Amino acid sequence: MVEIDLNHIYKKYANAEEENSYAVSDFDLHIKNEEFIVFVGPSGCGKSTTLRMIAGLESITEGELKIDDELMNDVVPKDRNIAMVFQNYALYPHMSVFKNMAFGLKLRKYEKEDIEQRVKYAADILGLTEYLDRKPAALSGGQRQRVALGRAIVRDAPIFLMDEPLSNLDAKLRVSMRAEIARLHQRLHTTTIYVTHDQTEAMTMADRIVVMSMGEVQQIGTPQEVYVTPRNKFVAGFIGSPAMNFIDVTYKDGVITDTEGLKIAVPEGRAKVLEKQGYNGKKMTLGIRPEDIHAEEAFNETWPNSVVEAEVVVSELLGATSMLYSRVDGTEFVAIVDARDYHKPGEKVKLSFDINKAHFFDIETTLAIR
Amino acid sequence: MVIDQLLKMYPSAKVVTSPNWNDQLVFNYHIADKWISISKDDVDDKQNKLLNLISDHAETEIINSWWQFLNHRSSEMPLASKKIDKIKVVQFHVDDLESSEYSNQWIRAFSSFFERVVDSFWVNSEYGILILNNSEVFMEHSELVSTVQLLDEDFGTKSQVYIGQTWPLDENVPEIFKLEKRIFSQNDGDPVSNLSTDVISFMFNQSLANEKLFITLKNIITSNSEYISMIRSLYINQNNIAKTSKDLYVHRNTLLYRIDKFNRETGLNLKSMDDLVLCHLLLC
Ligand SMILES: Nc1ncnc2c1ncn2[C@@H]1O[C@H](COP(=O)(O)OP(=O)(O)O)[C@@H](O)[C@H]1O
Ligand SMILES: [Mg+2]
């Protein structure tokens, strides 16, 4: 059983010059036992800093870190009972795989039998059993990565922290290791915090995602929640691939228009919310995912008022689907449509916007209008 | 005088002829030409730092021949050096090592990452040296960082390492080492540093950093934390836009937009190498 509480955590690096330049501000999160949490966000948004504060590798400027209700702010890393895996890791060049995994335990004076049992267990889970006698130089990149994971597993710590552990692997290996880490979690049930800049990794692995930008938490939720109901424009644009389209529009009496000639009807339910929130006649940002723009005849007939006449600028056939980079006068957007609705660049195409699935964001605050 | 006062202030203080570095219960200081040892119980962290300031280095007594040579205490080059024409001195500072038993293991584990270790020794309980025979291929910075990380994980330590340059082994080495030692002592916490990573800030902090002009300029360019990572990354990638945008995981156009915005806000153009170097210097 282990629970982690981050209560309004702030980090300011000693060499941060500005009075208010925090690398992380007001980070507030309760992590449940056995949860797999992913911190995701662009480079420099404070993911590693937060993780390193949890590990005790960086001091906490303000706020409280609690593990099982015990204040951890001033506890040294080795007394926190946390195992970490990094993007870059080293292994002892002259030690066998077995010894690389066992060394930390030996220094901590574990019994010989205990060490043996733990290493063998980890090796078994990771498929390293037949490599236990090899030196790191005789292993492939993926195997070395597994040894680094093994070093964390043998500690049998209740908490795993992983900082972009797969970023240095090639794309194919990354996908298979991703599945392996997910499987590992199902088997060991270790409470895990995983850091990545890759939203696909976050979406496929997380129980809950923490989306960060510029040192601040933007939203915390399940993959489905952050995808379906993004709290603001940043989350909407960061989660999902290809990214959501954003178009600045004005809403007036059931219709949205933009300055470039786009004109789309808003279904009654959505229109009501916009009006209730005081947006009638106001500017806002329309957000619509590429998969919510349709080219099927049937859809266009059902929603004639949300159809636009677009011109295809670039198109890519991706197998079952195709991507249409399209334009209505000066407004550009991407649509993912059925491969049968593929169009060549320059062709005209009727596309309908599924406004029921669209998002509206306040221009100033960038918050979703609900 | 000073010694008398210290003896009064610290009842456990003793003047000793030569310090016993293996005694984990005391701190040793070399003050006013005398060795004085004080029980650790009587000295808190701050006091220890202050005492070390007035101590002309507690390390002076270890008898390792390389250490003697490096510190001008012996003009003779160590015996082993007959066949060596170039050396590299690696300094390390290790906090939180539990006992001398672990010290031995730590230094052995650290040495195992280098191919041609001529000698390795602790100068005191936290600071030590590896002497490397000029090795042609050297680990990359990120590998060194992971190595330090690995050791810290296994030993529960917090370590910093300074990788000296490769120098011809001659009578100039001690003079050179003196500065390497000073540069390392001013590093504020990077796990791995060397002359290139530290020289600019070292020189800058020696003279200019406290000038109003630089303080003000620094405040301007660091007003937005995005700028800091952008400047660092542009500098590391030698102003290559493609590499930098990949590094920062932003679209090329986003990066160009930010460079533009920075230019409008600060009057500094990061596409110009002169301006970029200036900004980088301010961030040191
Ligand atoms: N050791 C450090 N000293 C000063 N600033 C740092 C340090 N490490 C990171 N930063 C700054 O803190 C911010 C967050 O960095 P980081 O946590 O590494 O982001 P991420 O892991 O999301 O890429 C960045 O602006 C970065 O430049
Ligand atoms: Mg990071």
Side-chain angles (χ1 to χ4, degrees):
Chain A
M1 254 308 273
V2 63
E3 306 210 334
I4 308 170
D5 278 295
L6 294 123
N7 294 333
H8 303 284
I9 299 234
Y10 289 77
K11 174 67 186 187
K12 185 172 177 178
Y13 282 105
N15 55 356
E17 304 68 20
E18 256 308 82
E19 198 53 28
N20 292 317
S21 77
Y22 288 93
V24 173
S25 30
D26 202 19
F27 196 107
D28 205 49
L29 172 69
H30 173 80
I31 299 174
K32 295 185 279 252
N33 187 35
E34 298 187 8
E35 238 186 330
F36 196 110
I37 294 280
V38 176
F39 295 172
V40 72
S43 169
C45 72
K47 306 180 295 290
S48 297
T49 300
T50 309
L51 204 69
R52 294 172 64 80
M53 285 192 283
I54 298 171
L57 301 173
E58 288 294 348
S59 63
I60 294 169
T61 309
E62 226 180 282
E64 289 178 334
L65 168 70
K66 289 184 173 173
I67 297 180
D68 283 340
D69 253 343
E70 206 180 309
L71 192 65
M72 284 288 136
N73 291 43
D74 297 322
V75 175
V76 297
K78 66 170 186 286
D79 295 337
R80 292 193 189 191
N81 211 359
I82 286 173
M84 248 188 120
V85 183
F86 300 91
Q87 170 179 359
N88 294 306
Y89 54 89
L91 299 172
Y92 299 102
H94 302 299
M95 290 187 195
S96 65
V97 168
F98 183 97
K99 283 197 175 147
N100 262 288
M101 291 201 258
F103 192 57
L105 301 178
K106 220 172 119 198
L107 288 173
R108 288 183 180 80
K109 305 252 190 288
Y110 281 66
E111 297 283 339
K112 200 162 171 256
E113 292 78 32
D114 189 15
I115 294 178
E116 202 137 300
Q117 206 175 354
R118 285 166 184 246
V119 172
K120 290 203 163 135
Y121 177 67
D124 178 45
I125 295 182
L126 295 165
L128 287 171
T129 307
E130 55 186 302
Y131 304 102
L132 282 173
D133 293 329
R134 289 213 192 156
K135 299 272 169 64
L139 300 176
S140 70
Q143 288 163 340
R144 276 201 291 270
Q145 175 74 54
R146 285 195 185 91
V147 179
L149 273 174
R151 284 175 39 83
I153 293 172
V154 296
R155 303 240 338 245
D156 198 20
I159 300 170
F160 271 172
L161 306 182
M162 306 195 190
D163 195 348
E164 312 239 8
L166 308 183
S167 296
N168 279 352
L169 304 179
D170 65 52
K172 209 168 143 207
L173 195 53
R174 198 156 58 220
V175 173
S176 74
M177 284 301 289
R178 192 198 290 165
E180 192 150 333
I181 289 177
R183 218 167 330 115
L184 206 61
H185 181 251
Q186 281 159 19
R187 184 151 172 192
L188 301 174
H189 303 290
T190 312
T191 304
T192 303
I193 307 176
Y194 185 101
V195 161
T196 179
H197 66 275
D198 179 343
Q199 63 90 29
T200 314
E201 249 173 45
M203 294 294 280
T204 50
M205 299 174 90
D207 290 326
R208 279 193 301 158
I209 296 179
V210 178
V211 185
M212 298 179 69
S213 166
M214 296 181 68
E216 287 177 22
V217 173
Q218 303 295 315
Q219 185 167 5
I220 301 174
T222 63
Q224 167 143 23
E225 280 164 357
V226 295
Y227 183 81
V228 179
T229 47
R231 206 177 71 84
N232 60 27
K233 192 177 158 192
F234 177 84
V235 176
F238 192 81
I239 299 289
S241 173
M244 187 183 282
N245 298 292
F246 294 114
I247 304 168
D248 281 350
V249 297
T250 303
Y251 171 82
K252 182 94 178 104
D253 300 333
V255 179
I256 45 174
T257 50
D258 81 345
T259 51
E260 303 288 338
L262 194 80
K263 186 172 175 204
I264 301 169
V266 178
E268 207 180 310
R270 304 301 304 270
K272 233 185 207 158
V273 173
L274 291 178
E275 283 169 27
K276 188 162 154 243
Q277 299 296 342
Y279 284 90
N280 205 5
K282 292 237 173 89
K283 271 190 146 188
M284 64 190 73
T285 304
L286 165 73
I288 185 147
R289 296 199 184 276
E291 54 269 40
D292 295 327
I293 302 177
H294 302 271
E296 294 98 322
E297 206 56 45
F299 207 97
N300 292 348
E301 278 163 20
T302 322
W303 306 98
N305 293 334
S306 56
V307 176
V308 299
E309 187 85 41
E311 181 195 331
V312 175
V313 185
V314 177
S315 56
E316 286 169 22
L317 198 52
L318 301 170
T321 60
S322 79
M323 299 244 274
L324 304 179
Y325 295 81
S326 321
R327 171 162 84 190
V328 174
D329 293 320
T331 303
E332 297 200 7
F333 52 86
V334 186
I336 297 186
V337 300
D338 196 283
R340 274 170 303 200
D341 295 309
Y342 173 79
H343 285 76
K344 287 206 200 70
E347 288 181 357
K348 293 273 182 217
V349 56
K350 280 194 165 68
L351 296 171
S352 60
F353 284 45
D354 185 352
I355 297 295
N356 272 319
K357 298 228 179 85
H359 304 260
F360 296 102
F361 303 98
D362 186 279
I363 292 268
E364 295 284 305
T365 65
T366 78
L367 289 173
I369 304 166
R370 299 231 165 82
Chain B
M1 259 302 280
V2 185
I3 296 283
D4 289 343
Q5 278 171 351
L6 285 174
L7 289 174
K8 249 186 240 152
M9 283 161 70
Y10 294 100
S12 71
K14 276 203 261 326
V15 176
V16 292
T17 42
S18 74
N20 175 7
W21 295 113
N22 292 328
D23 185 347
Q24 294 293 316
L25 300 176
V26 300
F27 288 123
N28 298 298
Y29 308 98
H30 194 245
I31 296 167
D33 255 353
K34 290 209 164 61
W35 282 103
I36 182 162
S37 82
I38 306 178
S39 163
K40 285 186 181 172
D41 292 339
D42 293 346
V43 183
D44 68 20
D45 226 30
K46 205 168 192 173
Q47 294 176 11
N48 183 32
K49 279 197 184 127
L50 286 169
L51 286 164
N52 269 317
L53 278 179
I54 55 169
S55 160
D56 52 40
H57 283 293
E59 312 112 39
T60 39
E61 270 327 81
I62 74 149
I63 33 186
N64 176 284
S65 55
W66 278 99
W67 185 248
Q68 298 287 334
F69 167 66
L70 287 174
N71 288 285
H72 276 306
R73 280 191 211 105
S74 147
S75 54
E76 259 175 63
M77 285 186 207
L79 225 52
S81 64
K82 293 261 162 64
K83 286 178 235 108
I84 303 171
D85 35 313
K86 286 182 185 163
I87 62 161
K88 212 176 180 69
V89 180
V90 175
Q91 306 174 68
F92 46 87
H93 184 99
V94 182
D95 274 330
D96 300 335
L97 255 178
E98 265 170 21
S99 69
S100 49
E101 176 200 339
Y102 288 108
S103 310
N104 291 336
Q105 299 214 42
W106 195 97
I107 205 168
R108 224 179 310 140
F110 184 51
S111 302
S112 77
F113 285 87
F114 304 92
E115 301 213 335
R116 301 161 83 180
V117 181
V118 178
D119 200 359
S120 60
F121 54 91
W122 290 96
V123 174
N124 61 37
S125 60
E126 295 174 337
Y127 174 74
I129 302 278
L130 297 190
I131 308 282
L132 304 182
N133 189 347
N134 168 47
S135 31
E136 319 239 312
V137 202
F138 204 72
M139 273 192 270
E140 278 180 32
H141 188 82
S142 66
E143 290 178 82
L144 284 160
V145 172
S146 335
T147 301
V148 171
Q149 209 166 266
L150 177 78
L151 293 171
D152 282 350
E153 218 169 80
D154 281 341
F155 287 87
T157 47
K158 192 161 165 39
S159 315
Q160 283 149 263
V161 170
Y162 181 92
I163 309 294
Q165 302 302 118
T166 302
W167 304 110
L169 180 54
D170 57 26
E171 69 284 356
N172 293 323
V173 166
E175 194 63 36
I176 289 171
F177 175 68
K178 198 167 148 195
L179 193 63
E180 287 189 335
K181 207 166 127 192
R182 236 175 88 204
I183 295 175
F184 182 40
S185 72
Q186 295 198 2
N187 183 289
D188 57 357
D190 294 334
V192 178
S193 51
N194 59 35
L195 187 59
S196 318
T197 59
D198 283 19
V199 70
I200 296 180
S201 70
F202 181 76
M203 285 171 18
F204 187 60
N205 288 329
Q206 296 291 309
S207 45
L208 293 173
N210 292 322
E211 293 285 345
K212 197 84 199 155
L213 183 151
F214 287 106
I215 293 173
T216 311
L217 196 56
K218 187 171 186 173
N219 284 340
I220 294 172
I221 71 164
T222 55
S223 59
N224 180 334
S225 69
E226 253 177 18
Y227 291 158
I228 302 175
S229 36
M230 174 168 77
I231 291 164
R232 292 216 166 104
S233 181
L234 277 168
Y235 184 83
I236 290 167
N237 291 304
Q238 298 164 36
N239 225 337
N240 181 318
I241 299 291
K243 279 192 193 156
T244 305
S245 50
K246 189 158 169 259
D247 227 30
L248 297 173
Y249 309 116
V250 299
H251 193 268
R252 183 191 164 80
N253 289 339
T254 310
L255 178 62
L256 290 171
Y257 168 78
R258 279 186 203 160
I259 291 174
D260 246 28
K261 187 160 157 247
F262 184 83
N263 193 349
R264 273 180 273 125
E265 283 173 17
T266 66
L268 291 164
N269 178 8
L270 296 177
K271 288 182 208 158
S272 128
M273 210 59 201
D274 281 344
D275 284 9
L276 179 59
V277 169
L278 174 61
C279 290
H280 178 72
L281 188 68
L282 288 166
L283 292 183
C284 282

